[in-house]
Amino acid sequence: MKRISSEYISSLKENEIFVFGSNLAGMHGGGAARVALMRFGAIMGQGVGLQGQSYAIPTMHGGVDVIKPYVDEFIDFAIQHPELKFLVTAIGCGIAGFAVEEIAPLFRRACAVGNIYLPERFWDVLEQL
C-alpha cells in the first residue's frame, strides 16, 4: 500500500515528523530545510536526525553513495518509533540537485515500513524497480 506524503506540508499533527534534506552543517537556509527551521523545530547547526517535529537527512555533501547511510539510519529510526508518522519530502531533489530516479531507490526498504510516507514521485520510481 502506498503511503504518500503531501507535496507541500505546511502543518503537522502531534505525532507527525517532517523529513527534509539538509547539509551536514545544519545551515537550514532554503527549501524544505528552511520550512523545517521556521515551522517544525529544526535546529540551526544540527544537520542530522530528529529535531523538534522534523528529521534531517544530509544530502549536500557528496553523491548518492554518501547519502545512503543517512537514509538507512533514518529508516532504522522510524522502525524504532512506530508511534510517529514520518512525512518524507523529496529530499535531495531540490537545492541538492539530484534526480528523483537517483534518490528514490535509497528508500526501497522504507516501502515496508508502515509509518514512513514518501512523495508520490518516489513511489512512481520505486514501483518500477
Side-chain angles (χ1 to χ4, degrees):
M1 177 181 137
K2 292 195 318 190
R3 295 166 315 282
I4 299 172
S5 57
S6 175
E7 186 76 23
Y8 299 101
I9 300 168
S10 58
S11 64
L12 295 172
K13 294 179 182 164
E14 190 176 314
N15 68 325
E16 293 178 331
I17 305 296
F18 181 83
V19 182
F20 68 99
S22 68
N23 56 62
L24 283 171
M27 302 309 293
H28 308 309
R34 183 163 176 74
V35 172
L37 176 68
M38 302 304 290
R39 294 184 180 212
F40 304 128
I43 300 166
M44 192 63 83
Q46 183 177 336
V48 182
L50 187 67
Q51 37 198 297
Q53 273 190 279
S54 64
Y55 188 103
I57 298 175
T59 60
M60 301 284 291
H61 63 289
V64 173
D65 56 326
V66 296
I67 297 170
K68 185 179 184 331
Y70 292 102
V71 173
D72 290 341
E73 182 179 317
F74 157 69
I75 294 169
D76 291 341
F77 184 86
I79 290 168
Q80 294 166 8
H81 294 277
E83 74 282 5
L84 299 174
K85 179 178 178 180
F86 295 90
L87 306 175
V88 178
T89 63
I91 71 152
C93 300
I95 295 169
F98 292 97
V100 171
E101 293 78 13
E102 294 175 283
I103 298 295
L106 300 179
F107 287 87
R108 185 183 308 208
R109 194 164 58 99
C111 294
V113 181
N115 61 335
I116 297 177
Y117 291 67
L118 300 175
E120 188 160 21
R121 37 194 187 141
F122 279 25
W123 282 108
D124 293 344
V125 170
L126 290 166
E127 289 175 338
Q128 296 175 22
L129 298 179

